[in-house]
Amino acid sequence: MIQPIRLALALVLAWGAATPAVAAQAERAKRDRAVSVANGPADSLPVVRVAHGTPTLFLFPAPINRKTLTFDESRIRVLDAGERSVIVQPVADLAEGERYEVGVFFADGGVPARAAFSLVTDAAEVDIQINVQRPELAGAACPVDEPRAPQPEDFVLLGLVDKEGVSATPIKGYDDAERGFHVQSAIAYRGKGWVLIDARVTNFAGQSPWLPREAMLTGRVGLPLRARIVMADKTAIQPGEHRRVLMVADLPQLPASPVFTLELVGDGRTLKIPNVRFPKAAFGATP
């Protein structure tokens, strides 16, 4: 178990040595901290300070399921993910008020099931190493190393699903011949405080490769809502190829007229999907 941690530390040192120092980064104090995982959805996510050009290493007290790692690829890079470690670095310093979540499930089935952190940029300090603490594992002799995929109960424990369940509605297929896209098999989901769009996007033959990097939901009223993009294959969609793309956003309450335009900003082209409607909450369950 010691070897992967030594490797992660070596990678952080190597990246740090290879990154040119700039005045703003040199002024930041580098911190090595212990951070406790949130026990449940009611608890605030621990804040971790990151900076462009400075890798931040997370060391976990138990094995993690790397396939469950979630982050906004347009703003955060994951430089390395090991059995018990993750190294992240922002694409650029985050603006004041910007916060991006990085999360991963533990592989041992314990509680809390997931470790999540809110990334910010601080002008004075940057965290170079975060020693993750898991309260339920305090004093345990040795965590179980058996890999474990997320289970249905995890979503209830995390507060992502409640008695109202999850509702879904189809989205009509959409052709954007001018920009070279076709959208098929799209479905909009709504859960407790979140919405998700699951779409299959085709990049027309003859077009250039395209990778969506930013997602935004714009309604008739209110501010645009930023969504994170999730793709199993994170390479560019080649001409003539179709790819499954998921967009996830936090949305505690839907507006009175929940009709949105979804914008996917990518390499040189933007895909706009109009008339995206999220379903009403499912009230089939009883307290």
Side-chain angles (χ1 to χ4, degrees):
M1 293 186 183
I2 298 176
Q3 200 65 23
I5 295 177
R6 288 180 176 172
L7 176 59
L9 289 170
L11 288 171
V12 169
L13 293 174
W15 270 305
T19 304
V22 295
Q25 295 170 354
E27 295 173 357
R28 290 189 175 102
K30 296 183 178 180
R31 303 297 187 193
D32 182 337
R33 297 192 297 131
V35 172
S36 294
V37 176
N39 280 314
D43 294 341
S44 300
L45 295 183
V47 175
V48 174
R49 298 158 297 195
V50 296
H52 176 59
T54 302
T56 298
L57 168 66
F58 292 84
L59 294 179
F60 296 89
I64 58 175
N65 188 335
R66 285 171 286 185
K67 292 182 179 180
T68 66
L69 187 63
T70 55
F71 59 100
D72 187 334
E73 296 177 10
S74 66
R75 301 296 288 145
I76 305 297
R77 291 193 185 102
V78 170
L79 304 179
D80 185 72
E83 183 186 10
R84 291 171 175 258
S85 64
V86 173
I87 302 173
V88 304
Q89 187 176 18
V91 174
D93 282 348
L94 305 181
E96 184 176 355
E98 269 192 298
R99 290 174 177 259
Y100 291 94
E101 179 179 324
V102 169
V104 67
F105 278 82
F106 288 101
D108 61 8
V111 178
R114 183 172 181 262
F117 311 88
S118 181
L119 306 188
V120 302
T121 292
D122 185 282
E125 297 182 341
V126 58
D127 296 317
I128 61 171
Q129 180 172 318
I130 296 296
N131 299 305
V132 180
Q133 295 182 345
R134 198 178 179 195
E136 280 70 18
L137 292 182
C142 185
V144 180
D145 289 348
E146 181 180 355
R148 173 185 175 275
Q151 300 297 314
E153 61 268 24
D154 295 329
F155 299 99
V156 175
L157 291 172
L158 290 169
L160 299 176
V161 176
D162 61 5
K163 62 185 177 63
E164 295 179 358
V166 177
S167 51
T169 187
I171 299 174
K172 291 183 179 179
Y174 178 71
D175 278 306
D176 189 345
E178 181 180 352
R179 296 180 177 85
F181 296 110
H182 171 65
V183 178
Q184 57 182 335
S185 304
I187 300 177
Y189 295 90
R190 180 186 177 189
K192 184 184 177 183
W194 58 268
V195 291
L196 182 150
I197 299 170
D198 181 359
R200 190 167 292 275
V201 179
T202 300
N203 185 18
F204 283 179
Q207 296 288 339
S208 59
W210 184 77
L211 179 66
R213 299 185 181 276
E214 295 184 11
M216 192 78 68
L217 286 163
T218 305
R220 294 173 182 172
V221 295
L223 297 175
L225 180 66
R226 184 182 295 274
R228 67 179 185 273
I229 299 172
V230 181
M231 299 172 64
D233 185 346
K234 300 174 184 178
T235 61
I237 305 174
Q238 297 301 313
E241 182 184 12
H242 60 264
R243 186 82 56 78
R244 188 181 187 187
V245 183
L246 278 66
M247 287 68 64
V248 190
D250 294 327
L251 190 62
Q253 292 183 338
L254 283 177
S257 299
V259 182
F260 295 87
T261 295
L262 173 64
E263 296 186 33
L264 285 174
V265 181
D267 301 323
R269 288 178 289 157
T270 298
L271 170 59
K272 293 185 179 181
I273 306 175
N275 299 320
V276 174
R277 297 174 181 268
F278 293 105
K280 296 181 179 180
F283 292 99
T286 56

